[in-house]
Amino acid sequence: MLIDIIAGARPNFIKIAPVIEAIVAKKKEGVAIDYRLVHTGQHYDKKMSHDFFEQLGIPEPDHNLEAGSGTQAEQTARIMTGYEKLLMSQPCDLCIVVGDVTSTMACAITAKKLGNIKVAHVEGGIRSGDWTMPEEINRIVTDSISDYFFTTSATANDNLRKAGVTTDRIFFVGNTMIDTLLKQLPFFTPPTIWNTLSLTAGGYIITTLHRPANVDDASGLEKLLSEIIKASNGLPIIFPVHPRTAKMLEKTGIKADNLHMTEPMSYLEFNYMVKNAKVVVTDSGGITEETTVMRVPCMTLRENTERPETCTVGTNELLGTNPDAIAPAFKMLFSGNWKKGAIPEMWDGKTAPRIIEHIIHIFGIV
Ligand code: UD1
């Protein structure tokens, strides 16, 4: 059986690494299972792509569709055209897509439309309810055509059932992002800035911002950053800047003695910084899962989340996008009363082997 593994953007790379590892382990045991890694090329910078492959030990992609940047439609179209060409000359039996990025949706549609390829969605069923996010549309479209769903939470299972998915196609397996986190934890390494600024555990803030709602308007971005700076009590704010945000930051010219902007960090360096941070202030979804497992306080600058368990079980608080919410949250943090959190069910580092066991069973592979 040949499985295509699709990866396009930074968070995908973290999610596919353990899935590939689990397939390779089964192949070594003599199970008739193999994979082909398809990189769509949505993220192409060394720091957004190559460094992740290297650090996470992901093999070289078998195919790179080189889709590159563009509008949502341009990117989707290039990924679909490239993947369709590949599937028409060399089909697979199952296409595994992960997460909610444009590559996820584009490849799911392409595989499904060819008629005889099954589609499995790892991280299926999560919903923010916010239709202005491209990721929410990607989730809904992908889930509406997938055959099998490997889910991270009971809420995701409920969402799928409400959408009419039969229970026999939903597999609650946990979180592959956490498989990677727990495996790599002993190898986290401090980035250069750790020494340059003589940082100490619990003595700084990490910020990441890349959602269009927060960064595509220069004055809004400036207001958010100013509030973080004001609320920070002078602690160093380390801000690894996503390329999308970098373009807008140039227009703001914002500066502060304790604001340190850096290039995007590698996986091992970034998570070293998260693990030791006083707090993480972010608009990412994936990072809120990592802070939950590492029990680091997290403030999310979004109105909603598709990962509610990071708030109900974990250390995450949704502050919304109004900058006025930042100061009270920091007050709570500095008073020492931030919630300690717990680890969500099945986020135990063994999700990918569970996924592959289910696939072996579903397809009757021997
Ligand atoms: C994408 C995902 C988002 C994910 C994020 C993580 C979608 C809709 N969004 O958002 O869910 O959280 O990745 O990083 O798929 N760029 C570079 N170098 C690169 C990649 C992108 O300079 O290697 C630039 C592009 O030119 C573009 C901008 O960054 O202007 C945005 O890239 P894009 O892939 O469209 O979306 P992200 O904002 O990265």
Side-chain angles (χ1 to χ4, degrees):
M1 173 182 191
L2 180 63
I3 302 174
D4 270 0
I5 310 275
I6 307 297
R10 191 166 58 175
N12 285 173
F13 309 140
I14 303 161
K15 292 168 195 170
I16 60 153
V19 177
I20 291 178
E21 210 173 293
I23 294 175
V24 171
K26 280 292 163 191
K27 198 180 157 190
K28 276 197 189 135
E29 286 174 20
V31 179
I33 191 168
D34 208 349
Y35 77 94
R36 179 170 70 178
L37 176 56
V38 181
H39 190 322
T40 65
Q42 179 178 343
H43 282 178
Y44 44 83
D45 281 358
K46 182 173 181 297
K47 292 205 174 295
M48 302 290 285
S49 172
H50 175 267
D51 288 359
F52 283 74
F53 275 70
E54 201 173 72
Q55 289 196 336
L56 303 180
I58 305 170
E60 279 290 307
D62 297 287
H63 298 273
N64 192 322
L65 307 179
E66 293 180 352
S69 299
T71 65
Q72 290 288 318
E74 284 166 346
Q75 224 172 26
T76 307
R78 279 202 294 268
I79 297 167
M80 288 181 74
T81 317
Y83 189 43
E84 187 181 55
K85 211 176 266 172
L86 172 64
L87 285 179
M88 284 183 19
S89 61
Q90 303 166 54
C92 65
D93 302 298
L94 171 70
C95 168
I96 297 188
V97 294
V98 300
D100 56 16
V101 305
T102 300
S103 302
T104 310
M105 176 191 73
C107 290
I109 295 175
T110 308
K112 192 66 190 168
K113 280 202 165 183
L114 287 180
N116 46 7
I117 298 170
K118 297 287 186 197
V119 175
H121 187 195
V122 171
E123 202 188 89
I126 62 175
R127 295 285 183 273
S128 66
D130 179 355
W131 287 68
T132 66
M133 288 173 71
E135 291 83 357
E136 183 72 352
I137 296 167
N138 295 340
R139 288 179 201 119
I140 289 168
V141 173
T142 304
D143 284 347
S144 69
I145 56 171
S146 290
D147 296 285
Y148 307 109
F149 304 84
F150 296 107
T151 62
T152 50
S153 68
T155 320
N157 301 340
D158 289 344
N159 291 336
L160 290 169
R161 279 193 291 262
K162 271 187 224 146
V165 178
T166 48
T167 312
D168 57 328
R169 295 190 291 134
I170 305 171
F171 303 91
F172 179 23
V173 287
N175 195 328
T176 61
M177 202 163 194
I178 302 308
D179 286 15
T180 296
L181 185 79
L182 296 179
K183 182 180 172 195
Q184 300 296 341
L185 204 109
F187 309 109
F188 291 173
T189 48
T192 325
I193 198 163
W194 179 269
N195 291 324
T196 330
L197 297 181
S198 305
L199 297 174
T200 54
Y204 61 91
I205 296 158
I206 281 274
T207 294
T208 80
L209 294 169
H210 77 284
R211 297 269 164 221
N214 285 334
V215 307
D216 282 0
D217 165 59
S219 72
L221 176 60
E222 189 166 5
K223 190 95 211 316
L224 282 177
L225 282 171
S226 310
E227 281 304 316
I228 298 172
I229 294 163
K230 264 197 254 162
S232 65
N233 254 356
L235 286 183
I237 302 164
I238 315 301
F239 182 13
V241 181
H242 184 283
R244 173 180 211 110
T245 315
K247 288 177 194 167
M248 203 46 76
L249 271 176
E250 280 168 24
K251 296 189 189 164
T252 70
I254 188 157
K255 274 200 180 99
D257 285 348
N258 64 335
L259 176 63
H260 305 278
M261 300 189 208
T262 73
E263 290 205 325
M265 286 182 193
S266 68
Y267 182 81
L268 298 177
E269 290 176 331
F270 181 71
N271 279 294
Y272 183 95
M273 293 299 285
V274 169
K275 187 166 188 300
N276 290 293
K278 175 84 181 165
V279 63
V280 176
V281 186
T282 187
D283 60 6
S284 158
I287 293 172
T288 67
E289 299 182 333
E290 293 165 335
T291 49
T292 282
V293 170
M294 293 193 274
R295 307 262 177 109
V296 173
C298 182
M299 302 176 185
T300 294
L301 302 180
R302 286 175 53 190
E303 298 295 343
N304 44 60
T305 175
E306 59 289 333
R307 295 161 164 94
E309 62 284 355
T310 62
C311 298
T312 53
V313 180
T315 52
N316 186 25
E317 272 298 334
L318 268 190
L319 301 195
T321 51
N322 183 343
D324 294 344
I326 293 173
F330 268 87
K331 212 167 161 199
M332 160 86 110
L333 173 79
F334 289 128
S335 73
N337 290 323
W338 201 265
K339 57 189 171 187
K340 302 285 174 273
I343 313 284
E345 199 186 343
M346 299 267 235
W347 292 17
D348 59 358
K350 297 175 187 144
T351 294
R354 282 196 280 268
I355 292 175
I356 300 307
E357 282 300 339
H358 282 304
I359 288 176
I360 288 172
H361 182 74
I362 295 166
F363 288 85
I365 311 168
V366 280

